[in-house]
Amino acid sequence: MISKKIKSYLIFSFSVLLFLFTSACDDLVDESPVSEIDPENFFTNNNDALAAVIGIYDGMQPTFRLKHYLWGEFRGDSYINGNDGATSNNIELTSNDVTSGNGNAVRWNDFYNMINRANEAIVNIPQIEGFDSNLLAEALAIRAYAYFQAVRVWGGVPLFTEPTRAPDGLQRPRTDAQTILNEVIIPDMLAAEANFDEGRLADEFRFSLTSIWALQADVYGFIGDDESARTALMKIVDSGRFRLTESAEEWQNMFLNDDGDPFSLVVESDGPLKIQTGPELIMSLRFSLDESGTANRSGIFTLFFAGIPSYTLSPALENKWIEKFPIDSLGWVTRYPDTDPVLILPDPTDENPANTTTFYGDFRYYLCREGFVNLEANGVGAARLAKYNKANYNAGLDDSDIVLYRYAHIILYLAEIENRLGNPTRALEIVNEFRTARQLPLVDAVEFGASEDERELFILDERQLELVGEGQRWWDLRRTNRALELLNPILDTLSTGVPLTQERLLFPIFDEHLLENPMLDQTPGY
Amino acid sequence: MSAMVLFFVAMSSFVRAQEVSGTITDINGEPIPGVNVVQKETTNGVSADFDGNYSIILVPGSQILVFSSVGFISKEITVNGTTVDVILEEDTQNLDEVVVIGYSQIPREKVLGALSSVKSEEIVQVTPTNAFEGAQGRLAGVQIATNGGPGAGFDIRVRGTSTFSAGGTGPLYVVDGQQLDNIDNIDPNDIASLEVLKDGATTAIYGTRGANGVVLITTKSGKSGELNVDVNIVTGINSLNGAIPVANTAQRLFYEDVRRTDSQRENPTGNQRDSLNLLLRNSFDLQELITRAGFRNQVNVSLSAGSEKLKGYWNVGFLNEDGVVVNSSFRRINTRLKLDFTPNKKFAASTNFNASFEEFSGLNESQVFQQLVERIAYFPVLEPNGDFTPEIAGRQNPLAEANLRQLRLRTWRGQSFNDLQYNITPTLSIKSTLGINFRLRRNNDFQPLLVLNPRNTNPLGSIRDRIDYDIQQENFVNYYEEFGKHSVAGFAGMQILRRFREEFGISNALFVSEDIQTFNNVDPNGLAINSDQTFNTRSNIFSLFGGFRYDFDNKYLVEAAIRRDGSSRFGDNQEFGYFPSGSIGWRVSNEEFLKGSAIVNNLLIRFGYGETGNDRIGDFEFTSAFEPGAIYNGISGVLPTRLGNPDLSWESTNQTNIGLDLGMFRNRLTLAVDLYRKDTEDLLANVPLPEESGFGSIRQNVGAVRNQGIEIALGGTILTTKNFSWNSNFNITFQENEVTRLAGGTAFQSGDYIIEEGEPIGNIFGFKNLGVFPFSESNAFTDDGVQLTPNFDAGGEFVNYTLNGQEFTGNVNQLRNDGRVLEGGDIFWDDIDGDFVITNDDRQVIGNGLPLAFGGFFNDFTYKTISLSFLLDYTLGNDIWRRWDELRNDLNSANETPGPDRIEGAWLNPGDITVYPRLNRVPQNRDRPNSFFVTDGGFIRLRFVRLGYDVPKSALEQLGFLKQCSFFVSGNNLLTWTNYPGYNPELGTRGNPLQPGLDNLRFPNDREVIFGINLKF
């Protein structure tokens, strides 16, 4: 009797167990994410599309926060090594001795991260029923912008136009620059233009028609299609949305992100933290303290105004500036008897604010230079660029916007192209329009130059002074193919300078990329 | 035991009613209260009284009395007269003890795996605040290192590092059957015993969570009998142990002077122009200002009582511990209630509830400690009005930071574990368990304006909530039967574990003012959710398991088990894993030739093999993911955050263990030796992807690592007389780690550590410093890299080079680094590729952070009621990278001051032969890691010395209500023998297994003097 009972218990308990063993195993194991979404289930409506496009801009922030300048600014002739103790990664840009271990300048992490986000948007937004073509246009514009940077920086790079969803097939060789230009950059930038509504003419912080035209002009100029570049530039001019600034203060306010305002009567003014507005700003990469995380700070003062500066303004640049616009009254009056200098400031040592001092020279020189009107504090070659900020502060608090396109660039670029297309008169007209807006003396045909070459060099100088610190100079030299001609004489005088070669106009591929992807070849010359 | 029964059965011959009485004492003559005295083979029995006296009237039947008491070896005595006095020996072997491994009970002597254990008496000797503090130095094969600071917990490493995953090195904790990832909240006074399962065969039953070893904790239970009240009161005073030498103002000024260039020297500095400057009279010793004598107060009250059917244990503990640094403290309040019901022979049920509140107030280590050792000594710390000085030159005032910043972590935890057992037959039972584990961690951080950069306009506050809870449910059957000399056991069952995590965080919210520090005072425009800290996730494990155990006459033993785990952390391709194990043992001492040996009373040789897994990665890494968190121009977006790997699988560990247990002279001497080899395959790591794919890495199963070693534990009673005894324990572990395979053979780096095939984990990868060039001309080498000797004339002018005494006229090569030729006073770096340019290719392994050996040595002396014990523990053969020292000595910023030896020992003039390079700011100082800053991190530490006094029982009797009263005074961390110059050579890795021995300066070590009282009512 008892053993029967045991038997039934046994059978019962084992059958319960058996049931548990066999049924519902998989259901008990599987689980699905709560706070993240599977990419396969995304892109269902225009809100998703907008979120994905914002994600690409979010990827642009860390990509360009320093590289915009490391790529376009420091290899030019506007800076010298600011301090013996500066990091070799920074110094080697000014001496044009870029090495393949310089991760700051040539690493791809953020860059391709942004491209992958763009690819997600470009491939998936059109699958949404009734999708907003403006969003697709923005994604296309960013991808074109990104690959254009890549082609300018490295020449050929591995080409990804589909989103990465699986871990295979990720090692690819470099696709040559021409193919990327013809098959990705140009089609993308034209498709972007076509997909924008007319209403999206301008947007200060996101791609719009005017900024895509600016990109088109840069691309056409880079491949030597000046006609097309002019067409694109004229579209911006004709849009009527922008004008040149007309006062020193208005000019400064496009850049300044500091609480010290040189135009304030109080010596240590407690002005607004960030201004960075103006009628010339076509498109900037926006940074804001409201966003969390250091990837959302441009932190560009670490390049231009670090406590131990890597870069100071080069004597070549300062001498050019002083020579063109003398800073002594005699020099100025002799050269420009009809033009009054702009900077007339109250004397800080005088109690009566009506007593003023006149500072001769180009106001931009003072506004760009550490120490403002106090030129003695840092001699020629020892001053940091103070266009964005005038004090050294925490990188985590530097939310300076990065100006990608500005009207002055458009105008001076148009002058450069008109000159090349055989319209020197039109080019001079434009230069003088620009000089007028800057309240600087006008240029006559003699000063402008007799030959196309001389005129081009003149315009390049105008651009260098106006656009210093905006990541343009190196591209100007590349576009006009003058890097070797203008830089090698300077590099010869530097102890660490390495003469440029045609090959080394490009940047090297980062060492670790070569390790991770054996199909990659190093840029020739490195 | 059964053999002894047979032996004595023949003895009873005559039958007579008779009263027998006597006294039961231990070998020291102290009476043992409450000993059970039973007339053999009858139900007739009594308990001895408090003084060990008993009296029993014998009934007809056996004339043998059995004397038994927990903790003593039972004794059977044939009655031969009316007075029988008995001396019971303490049972050092605890043959009756059982361990619950997995889902079945097993007598400790039959355990075939490698098991180390500490008992409650041993744990409390060190007066711990945390269970592992009590186990340090006691467990062979288990490395326990403090993570620094009050309440910071410990880094537990069982048999080496067998994972690459951050946070994946810790063992699994099983507290009375409940599986937990963390036991920091357990009151050490609650622990009855702590066992560590180290080998594969015993841990395999824990399947996917067992690969890093398993720590079994048995908490105290109520016992049948009267109410017992146990009160512990501890007070401790701690102080800084080992300040780091820091440059004073005079050294700083000398340094500043040396650094000036010739042109700068033409203009006197402000300090020189104003030589009476009050600032220069400052020379603050920040370490002195920031540390203090801290107090610890710890009170525990526990009650236990019970009847045959219901036993209860209840403990309430309170701990408050100040850190040695101002404004740091740890507080814990905990309570545990444990009830065991045995209403009848069929049912047994128990419930165990533990609740705790922990509060950690601390400081931002990275902001404070580096500043302590590099801040300019004349920088003010207090303003004339008594306020703290704010940030100067981008340097936070560490005193302000420590005193004003409010950094708190509070943890609320509740654990409940319940089980119900039904005995179907005496040999077959079924058991169900239900465990719930809840933890809420809340981090608060408030930074007043004074501790922020002057540009900040608002105070900042952060909050982070992490809720973790899990539910564990198990159902299993157990079978156990003995047939003659055969004993058989088996079990089978299932387990479900569901884990949930919910996090929420707001970082650096802008507060309107400092008056109110709660979030109702936040500027609405300054509130940003931290998306990395805000998410919900969950995971499941579903497991089936079974196993059996068999032995013949406790002589030949065999065991096997298997577990199948299904985990939601892996995709459909790899959802299930199987974890088998088997072991065999031979108790040589039970063979005829050793049986009854007076020397060897126990000799067991055991061999085991088992497979275990590790699933400690994120929850959904097998799928790709988009997440919110992208913000641009005030709009929120999503971003791809992960590339999924559908083939992801667990790390699997195969471990072989050969062990030997030896007991001699009635276990007065015990020896356990274990040899193991632990091969972990399919290591989970974030493998770099070509970054052009848009992703930096993907989680993959990439490699294999082998840990092998020998563990030796030797223990014994060296002397024992009536009044004096001396016990001693020694253990040592030698271990070796090797990465045996990496995907594609490619080495990878974790920070400045390199992980390479054929090399151990923990290799520090940097530049080797061969000294300092005395002259600029010393930087001269032949084409083969042989250094030339420069020669100078009497006027100090360079003449020529010689090589082996001969003038050298060949090609002279000079080392370059960071774009410049190295000069006199620069570091002579090892140029391993021979190209005379120091680049990343010249890095090499310059040290290793894993120890070669570690262990402990414990001694306990008792003379009458006085006891003295001490424990030494040691770690040998590991290196520590003094990152903090390297940072302050890199001369990178004018506002950091190098160490005093760096300043005093620097190269100044050509020809100086020095340890340190010149004081100029040259980039090569920042090449790191620099082998100069890698030092031997081995140490021997006097972990505690404790002197105890028990009030004699005779004195207590006069009081009447007190059963025991002891006092003790002890000192923790009194002495450390080490060459390491930082605060503490004992560095927990804080979760990152790949960077052991990296010292960024953390909470300093303290030295503590403790007084305590223990009362039992």
mmCIF file of all heavy atoms in Angstrom, chain A residues 10 28-31 35-37 85 88 107 164 205 286 513 517, chain B residues 428 536 538 540 568 575 626 632 638 642 691-693 818 921 926:
data_model
loop_
_atom_site.group_PDB
_atom_site.id
_atom_site.type_symbol
_atom_site.label_atom_id
_atom_site.label_comp_id
_atom_site.label_asym_id
_atom_site.label_seq_id
_atom_site.Cartn_x
_atom_site.Cartn_y
_atom_site.Cartn_z
ATOM 1 N N LEU A 10 5.942 9.519 -6.982
ATOM 2 C CA LEU A 10 7.081 9.573 -7.890
ATOM 3 C C LEU A 10 6.640 9.911 -9.290
ATOM 4 O O LEU A 10 7.195 10.803 -9.941
ATOM 5 C CB LEU A 10 7.820 8.232 -7.901
ATOM 6 C CG LEU A 10 8.898 8.065 -6.856
ATOM 7 C CD1 LEU A 10 9.463 6.654 -6.935
ATOM 8 C CD2 LEU A 10 10.000 9.089 -7.086
ATOM 9 N N LEU A 28 10.529 30.832 -22.070
ATOM 10 C CA LEU A 28 11.113 31.275 -20.814
ATOM 11 C C LEU A 28 12.448 31.950 -21.053
ATOM 12 O O LEU A 28 12.862 32.798 -20.280
ATOM 13 C CB LEU A 28 11.309 30.079 -19.877
ATOM 14 C CG LEU A 28 10.019 29.548 -19.287
ATOM 15 C CD1 LEU A 28 10.259 28.214 -18.620
ATOM 16 C CD2 LEU A 28 9.453 30.542 -18.284
ATOM 17 N N VAL A 29 13.117 31.563 -22.102
ATOM 18 C CA VAL A 29 14.446 32.111 -22.334
ATOM 19 C C VAL A 29 14.387 33.445 -23.064
ATOM 20 O O VAL A 29 15.065 34.381 -22.705
ATOM 21 C CB VAL A 29 15.312 31.096 -23.105
ATOM 22 C CG1 VAL A 29 16.638 31.717 -23.471
ATOM 23 C CG2 VAL A 29 15.519 29.853 -22.277
ATOM 24 N N ASP A 30 13.547 33.537 -24.098
ATOM 25 C CA ASP A 30 13.610 34.728 -24.959
ATOM 26 C C ASP A 30 13.134 35.984 -24.245
ATOM 27 O O ASP A 30 12.271 35.946 -23.385
ATOM 28 C CB ASP A 30 12.781 34.498 -26.231
ATOM 29 C CG ASP A 30 13.520 33.556 -27.169
ATOM 30 O OD1 ASP A 30 14.726 33.344 -26.935
ATOM 31 O OD2 ASP A 30 12.885 33.036 -28.090
ATOM 32 N N GLU A 31 13.721 37.071 -24.661
ATOM 33 C CA GLU A 31 13.417 38.357 -24.046
ATOM 34 C C GLU A 31 13.687 39.408 -25.097
ATOM 35 O O GLU A 31 14.562 39.214 -25.939
ATOM 36 C CB GLU A 31 14.360 38.538 -22.843
ATOM 37 C CG GLU A 31 13.988 39.581 -21.847
ATOM 38 C CD GLU A 31 12.616 39.384 -21.258
ATOM 39 O OE1 GLU A 31 12.480 38.622 -20.293
ATOM 40 O OE2 GLU A 31 11.682 39.998 -21.799
ATOM 41 N N SER A 35 14.558 49.382 -23.966
ATOM 42 C CA SER A 35 14.960 50.781 -24.124
ATOM 43 C C SER A 35 15.730 51.030 -25.402
ATOM 44 O O SER A 35 16.388 52.047 -25.542
ATOM 45 C CB SER A 35 15.804 51.212 -22.922
ATOM 46 O OG SER A 35 15.030 51.161 -21.768
ATOM 47 N N GLU A 36 15.740 50.079 -26.290
ATOM 48 C CA GLU A 36 16.403 50.292 -27.570
ATOM 49 C C GLU A 36 15.521 49.658 -28.633
ATOM 50 O O GLU A 36 14.627 48.879 -28.314
ATOM 51 C CB GLU A 36 17.810 49.668 -27.552
ATOM 52 C CG GLU A 36 17.828 48.245 -27.022
ATOM 53 C CD GLU A 36 19.240 47.705 -26.822
ATOM 54 O OE1 GLU A 36 20.052 48.423 -26.229
ATOM 55 O OE2 GLU A 36 19.499 46.584 -27.238
ATOM 56 N N ILE A 37 15.783 50.010 -29.873
ATOM 57 C CA ILE A 37 14.920 49.473 -30.923
ATOM 58 C C ILE A 37 15.780 48.766 -31.970
ATOM 59 O O ILE A 37 16.884 49.217 -32.291
ATOM 60 C CB ILE A 37 14.031 50.585 -31.541
ATOM 61 C CG1 ILE A 37 13.030 49.984 -32.520
ATOM 62 C CG2 ILE A 37 14.869 51.664 -32.184
ATOM 63 C CD1 ILE A 37 11.871 50.880 -32.825
ATOM 64 N N GLY A 85 56.456 72.670 -25.615
ATOM 65 C CA GLY A 85 55.827 71.559 -24.925
ATOM 66 C C GLY A 85 54.563 71.053 -25.578
ATOM 67 O O GLY A 85 53.950 70.120 -25.081
ATOM 68 N N SER A 88 53.206 66.561 -29.999
ATOM 69 C CA SER A 88 53.775 66.411 -31.334
ATOM 70 C C SER A 88 52.672 66.222 -32.380
ATOM 71 O O SER A 88 52.828 66.625 -33.530
ATOM 72 C CB SER A 88 54.755 65.237 -31.354
ATOM 73 O OG SER A 88 54.148 64.092 -30.836
ATOM 74 N N ARG A 107 42.098 59.672 -37.533
ATOM 75 C CA ARG A 107 41.315 58.496 -37.149
ATOM 76 C C ARG A 107 39.893 58.598 -37.687
ATOM 77 O O ARG A 107 39.321 59.680 -37.775
ATOM 78 C CB ARG A 107 41.297 58.383 -35.618
ATOM 79 C CG ARG A 107 40.689 57.095 -35.184
ATOM 80 C CD ARG A 107 40.862 56.863 -33.705
ATOM 81 N NE ARG A 107 39.972 55.773 -33.331
ATOM 82 C CZ ARG A 107 39.781 55.389 -32.101
ATOM 83 N NH1 ARG A 107 40.401 55.985 -31.121
ATOM 84 N NH2 ARG A 107 38.962 54.393 -31.843
ATOM 85 N N THR A 164 25.607 49.603 -42.266
ATOM 86 C CA THR A 164 26.234 48.391 -41.748
ATOM 87 C C THR A 164 25.264 47.725 -40.779
ATOM 88 O O THR A 164 24.947 48.283 -39.739
ATOM 89 C CB THR A 164 27.537 48.741 -41.013
ATOM 90 O OG1 THR A 164 28.391 49.394 -41.943
ATOM 91 C CG2 THR A 164 28.223 47.502 -40.481
ATOM 92 N N PHE A 205 21.626 76.106 -39.000
ATOM 93 C CA PHE A 205 22.348 74.995 -38.390
ATOM 94 C C PHE A 205 22.138 73.652 -39.085
ATOM 95 O O PHE A 205 22.673 72.644 -38.641
ATOM 96 C CB PHE A 205 21.976 74.882 -36.911
ATOM 97 C CG PHE A 205 22.293 76.132 -36.136
ATOM 98 C CD1 PHE A 205 21.298 76.854 -35.506
ATOM 99 C CD2 PHE A 205 23.602 76.599 -36.063
ATOM 100 C CE1 PHE A 205 21.591 78.006 -34.810
ATOM 101 C CE2 PHE A 205 23.910 77.756 -35.369
ATOM 102 C CZ PHE A 205 22.902 78.469 -34.746
ATOM 103 N N ARG A 286 26.166 73.395 -34.969
ATOM 104 C CA ARG A 286 25.715 73.997 -33.719
ATOM 105 C C ARG A 286 26.186 73.191 -32.514
ATOM 106 O O ARG A 286 26.119 71.959 -32.533
ATOM 107 C CB ARG A 286 24.191 74.020 -33.752
ATOM 108 C CG ARG A 286 23.529 74.356 -32.462
ATOM 109 C CD ARG A 286 23.283 75.837 -32.383
ATOM 110 N NE ARG A 286 22.378 76.170 -31.312
ATOM 111 C CZ ARG A 286 22.520 77.286 -30.594
ATOM 112 N NH1 ARG A 286 23.506 78.104 -30.862
ATOM 113 N NH2 ARG A 286 21.667 77.566 -29.642
ATOM 114 N N HIS A 513 44.024 51.651 -38.493
ATOM 115 C CA HIS A 513 43.098 51.235 -39.560
ATOM 116 C C HIS A 513 43.763 50.208 -40.470
ATOM 117 O O HIS A 513 43.113 49.282 -40.938
ATOM 118 C CB HIS A 513 42.651 52.442 -40.386
ATOM 119 C CG HIS A 513 41.900 53.461 -39.586
ATOM 120 N ND1 HIS A 513 41.122 53.129 -38.513
ATOM 121 C CD2 HIS A 513 41.817 54.798 -39.713
ATOM 122 C CE1 HIS A 513 40.589 54.227 -38.004
ATOM 123 N NE2 HIS A 513 40.997 55.253 -38.710
ATOM 124 N N ASN A 517 42.334 46.428 -41.014
ATOM 125 C CA ASN A 517 41.858 46.119 -42.353
ATOM 126 C C ASN A 517 43.054 45.953 -43.291
ATOM 127 O O ASN A 517 43.576 46.925 -43.828
ATOM 128 C CB ASN A 517 40.935 47.242 -42.841
ATOM 129 C CG ASN A 517 40.441 46.994 -44.246
ATOM 130 O OD1 ASN A 517 40.737 45.954 -44.861
ATOM 131 N ND2 ASN A 517 39.685 47.938 -44.765
ATOM 132 N N LEU B 428 13.425 10.248 -0.430
ATOM 133 C CA LEU B 428 13.122 11.058 -1.610
ATOM 134 C C LEU B 428 12.367 12.304 -1.173
ATOM 135 O O LEU B 428 11.374 12.220 -0.446
ATOM 136 C CB LEU B 428 12.270 10.245 -2.588
ATOM 137 C CG LEU B 428 11.914 10.927 -3.900
ATOM 138 C CD1 LEU B 428 13.142 11.075 -4.769
ATOM 139 C CD2 LEU B 428 10.848 10.148 -4.635
ATOM 140 N N ASN B 536 15.786 50.672 -19.364
ATOM 141 C CA ASN B 536 15.320 49.464 -18.687
ATOM 142 C C ASN B 536 15.834 48.262 -19.460
ATOM 143 O O ASN B 536 15.938 48.306 -20.686
ATOM 144 C CB ASN B 536 13.796 49.386 -18.696
ATOM 145 C CG ASN B 536 13.184 50.410 -17.776
ATOM 146 O OD1 ASN B 536 13.869 51.254 -17.230
ATOM 147 N ND2 ASN B 536 11.884 50.318 -17.607
ATOM 148 N N ARG B 538 16.208 43.646 -19.197
ATOM 149 C CA ARG B 538 15.925 42.442 -18.421
ATOM 150 C C ARG B 538 16.510 41.230 -19.103
ATOM 151 O O ARG B 538 16.826 41.260 -20.293
ATOM 152 C CB ARG B 538 14.413 42.269 -18.233
ATOM 153 C CG ARG B 538 13.649 42.240 -19.533
ATOM 154 C CD ARG B 538 12.181 42.470 -19.259
ATOM 155 N NE ARG B 538 11.443 42.470 -20.515
ATOM 156 C CZ ARG B 538 10.235 43.001 -20.657
ATOM 157 N NH1 ARG B 538 9.627 43.570 -19.640
ATOM 158 N NH2 ARG B 538 9.623 42.952 -21.818
ATOM 159 N N ASN B 540 16.750 36.609 -18.787
ATOM 160 C CA ASN B 540 16.278 35.383 -18.157
ATOM 161 C C ASN B 540 17.314 34.300 -18.295
ATOM 162 O O ASN B 540 18.040 34.240 -19.274
ATOM 163 C CB ASN B 540 15.051 34.829 -18.899
ATOM 164 C CG ASN B 540 13.913 35.791 -18.866
ATOM 165 O OD1 ASN B 540 13.788 36.567 -17.926
ATOM 166 N ND2 ASN B 540 13.094 35.753 -19.892
ATOM 167 N N SER B 568 18.724 34.429 -22.160
ATOM 168 C CA SER B 568 18.192 35.409 -23.119
ATOM 169 C C SER B 568 19.277 36.341 -23.616
ATOM 170 O O SER B 568 19.042 37.155 -24.492
ATOM 171 C CB SER B 568 17.084 36.224 -22.452
ATOM 172 O OG SER B 568 17.622 37.025 -21.442
ATOM 173 N N GLU B 575 21.393 29.829 -27.914
ATOM 174 C CA GLU B 575 20.650 30.081 -26.690
ATOM 175 C C GLU B 575 20.998 29.119 -25.556
ATOM 176 O O GLU B 575 20.991 29.484 -24.395
ATOM 177 C CB GLU B 575 19.164 29.924 -27.003
ATOM 178 C CG GLU B 575 18.323 30.987 -26.428
ATOM 179 C CD GLU B 575 16.963 30.988 -27.118
ATOM 180 O OE1 GLU B 575 16.550 29.947 -27.670
ATOM 181 O OE2 GLU B 575 16.328 32.029 -27.095
ATOM 182 N N PHE B 626 19.251 50.668 -32.246
ATOM 183 C CA PHE B 626 19.187 52.129 -32.313
ATOM 184 C C PHE B 626 18.781 52.593 -30.926
ATOM 185 O O PHE B 626 17.936 51.970 -30.295
ATOM 186 C CB PHE B 626 18.093 52.579 -33.297
ATOM 187 C CG PHE B 626 18.497 52.545 -34.737
ATOM 188 C CD1 PHE B 626 19.706 52.004 -35.144
ATOM 189 C CD2 PHE B 626 17.640 53.053 -35.715
ATOM 190 C CE1 PHE B 626 20.057 51.981 -36.482
ATOM 191 C CE2 PHE B 626 17.980 53.024 -37.051
ATOM 192 C CZ PHE B 626 19.184 52.488 -37.444
ATOM 193 N N TYR B 632 20.611 67.399 -31.441
ATOM 194 C CA TYR B 632 21.251 68.431 -32.253
ATOM 195 C C TYR B 632 20.302 69.604 -32.361
ATOM 196 O O TYR B 632 19.121 69.410 -32.711
ATOM 197 C CB TYR B 632 21.603 67.903 -33.647
ATOM 198 C CG TYR B 632 22.312 68.947 -34.488
ATOM 199 C CD1 TYR B 632 23.632 69.282 -34.217
ATOM 200 C CD2 TYR B 632 21.644 69.621 -35.503
ATOM 201 C CE1 TYR B 632 24.274 70.259 -34.941
ATOM 202 C CE2 TYR B 632 22.277 70.600 -36.241
ATOM 203 C CZ TYR B 632 23.599 70.925 -35.963
ATOM 204 O OH TYR B 632 24.242 71.900 -36.682
ATOM 205 N N VAL B 638 17.922 59.630 -32.956
ATOM 206 C CA VAL B 638 18.412 58.306 -32.567
ATOM 207 C C VAL B 638 19.745 58.047 -33.244
ATOM 208 O O VAL B 638 20.092 58.671 -34.243
ATOM 209 C CB VAL B 638 17.436 57.179 -32.964
ATOM 210 C CG1 VAL B 638 16.117 57.352 -32.273
ATOM 211 C CG2 VAL B 638 17.293 57.104 -34.461
ATOM 212 N N ARG B 642 24.900 49.860 -31.626
ATOM 213 C CA ARG B 642 25.525 48.554 -31.532
ATOM 214 C C ARG B 642 25.287 47.765 -32.808
ATOM 215 O O ARG B 642 24.224 47.830 -33.401
ATOM 216 C CB ARG B 642 24.912 47.797 -30.346
ATOM 217 C CG ARG B 642 25.647 46.525 -29.977
ATOM 218 C CD ARG B 642 25.060 45.908 -28.731
ATOM 219 N NE ARG B 642 23.677 45.558 -28.919
ATOM 220 C CZ ARG B 642 22.701 45.925 -28.108
ATOM 221 N NH1 ARG B 642 22.955 46.625 -27.039
ATOM 222 N NH2 ARG B 642 21.468 45.583 -28.372
ATOM 223 N N GLU B 691 37.097 50.680 -38.510
ATOM 224 C CA GLU B 691 36.219 51.777 -38.098
ATOM 225 C C GLU B 691 35.436 52.361 -39.256
ATOM 226 O O GLU B 691 34.442 53.051 -39.055
ATOM 227 C CB GLU B 691 37.035 52.855 -37.376
ATOM 228 C CG GLU B 691 37.392 52.409 -35.962
ATOM 229 C CD GLU B 691 38.141 53.455 -35.161
ATOM 230 O OE1 GLU B 691 38.637 54.415 -35.758
ATOM 231 O OE2 GLU B 691 38.218 53.281 -33.931
ATOM 232 N N GLU B 692 35.870 52.054 -40.489
ATOM 233 C CA GLU B 692 35.135 52.562 -41.635
ATOM 234 C C GLU B 692 33.757 51.918 -41.745
ATOM 235 O O GLU B 692 32.903 52.356 -42.519
ATOM 236 C CB GLU B 692 35.931 52.385 -42.939
ATOM 237 C CG GLU B 692 36.463 50.982 -43.207
ATOM 238 C CD GLU B 692 37.865 50.737 -42.648
ATOM 239 O OE1 GLU B 692 38.196 51.298 -41.595
ATOM 240 O OE2 GLU B 692 38.612 49.949 -43.271
ATOM 241 N N SER B 693 33.505 50.869 -40.956
ATOM 242 C CA SER B 693 32.185 50.255 -40.968
ATOM 243 C C SER B 693 31.181 51.095 -40.202
ATOM 244 O O SER B 693 29.992 50.826 -40.246
ATOM 245 C CB SER B 693 32.266 48.876 -40.327
ATOM 246 O OG SER B 693 32.617 49.013 -38.960
ATOM 247 N N ASP B 818 59.802 62.582 -30.516
ATOM 248 C CA ASP B 818 58.854 63.679 -30.677
ATOM 249 C C ASP B 818 59.452 64.816 -31.484
ATOM 250 O O ASP B 818 59.338 65.987 -31.135
ATOM 251 C CB ASP B 818 58.371 64.187 -29.311
ATOM 252 C CG ASP B 818 57.387 63.215 -28.680
ATOM 253 O OD1 ASP B 818 56.429 62.842 -29.370
ATOM 254 O OD2 ASP B 818 57.609 62.807 -27.534
ATOM 255 N N ARG B 921 60.223 71.434 -19.973
ATOM 256 C CA ARG B 921 58.974 70.875 -20.450
ATOM 257 C C ARG B 921 59.171 70.366 -21.874
ATOM 258 O O ARG B 921 59.037 71.103 -22.831
ATOM 259 C CB ARG B 921 57.892 71.950 -20.438
ATOM 260 C CG ARG B 921 56.529 71.418 -20.769
ATOM 261 C CD ARG B 921 55.498 72.524 -20.617
ATOM 262 N NE ARG B 921 54.169 71.991 -20.854
ATOM 263 C CZ ARG B 921 53.668 71.830 -22.053
ATOM 264 N NH1 ARG B 921 54.340 72.176 -23.110
ATOM 265 N NH2 ARG B 921 52.456 71.319 -22.198
ATOM 266 N N ARG B 926 56.080 62.924 -21.621
ATOM 267 C CA ARG B 926 54.713 62.424 -21.652
ATOM 268 C C ARG B 926 54.591 61.093 -22.379
ATOM 269 O O ARG B 926 53.497 60.598 -22.562
ATOM 270 C CB ARG B 926 53.793 63.465 -22.294
ATOM 271 C CG ARG B 926 53.317 64.482 -21.291
ATOM 272 C CD ARG B 926 52.715 65.671 -21.980
ATOM 273 N NE ARG B 926 53.761 66.603 -22.403
ATOM 274 C CZ ARG B 926 53.669 67.364 -23.472
ATOM 275 N NH1 ARG B 926 52.604 67.318 -24.235
ATOM 276 N NH2 ARG B 926 54.660 68.175 -23.790
#
